[in-house]
Amino acid sequence: MAEEDPYTVLGVPASATAEAITSAFRRRARELRPDTRVDAVTAARFHAVRTAYETLRDPVRRAAHDQAYERSHRASLRPSGGAGTSRPFPRCPVVPGATAPGPPLRAGPVRWVPERRTG
């Protein structure tokens, strides 16, 4: 069985902050309540939610998941023609003074740590 997308499991967008991910996990955990609901289906759903949360709360694992998703998504968009037939971006007319379009920029969550001043 293929793993589900962690963002889909938790019901958050890929641009969600750490706080939104934690909030979604807690909401889903309250719905599934493993201590009161003991059937196998609920246990499997709770395991999927917990695994998704563990993946998304760790910045390294989240970045690895996002990169793997981008690679698989990019591979599925390639035409099935011969070598050299695919272009990463569609051709655009050249406009003087304009910059060429590039891939969309993605950034993960940023954590601010206050600087300790010794004085």
Side-chain angles (χ1 to χ4, degrees):
M1 182 173 140
E3 277 191 44
E4 293 182 71
D5 181 41
Y7 297 108
T8 305
V9 171
L10 291 178
V12 295
S15 60
T17 63
E19 292 82 17
I21 290 169
T22 301
S23 176
F25 168 72
R26 289 179 179 164
R27 182 176 54 252
R28 296 287 293 159
R30 274 193 306 271
E31 291 171 5
L32 299 174
R33 295 287 305 251
D35 56 336
T36 59
R37 302 176 84 184
V38 291
D39 60 297
V41 174
T42 303
R45 288 177 57 204
F46 183 76
H47 177 71
V49 169
R50 190 181 64 207
T51 303
Y53 176 65
E54 289 172 358
T55 299
L56 296 182
R57 75 175 178 165
D58 180 15
V60 174
R61 289 175 69 184
R62 183 176 182 179
H65 170 269
D66 290 344
Q67 287 176 354
Y69 176 80
E70 284 294 323
R71 270 184 266 138
S72 67
H73 186 65
R74 211 176 310 136
S76 68
L77 293 178
R78 271 193 207 124
S80 60
T85 60
S86 65
R87 289 194 174 111
F89 306 106
R91 281 205 147 170
C92 297
V94 176
V95 178
T99 59
L105 296 177
R106 295 191 66 174
V110 178
R111 181 174 176 211
W112 178 74
V113 178
E115 182 178 316
R116 292 186 182 171
R117 295 183 182 208
T118 57

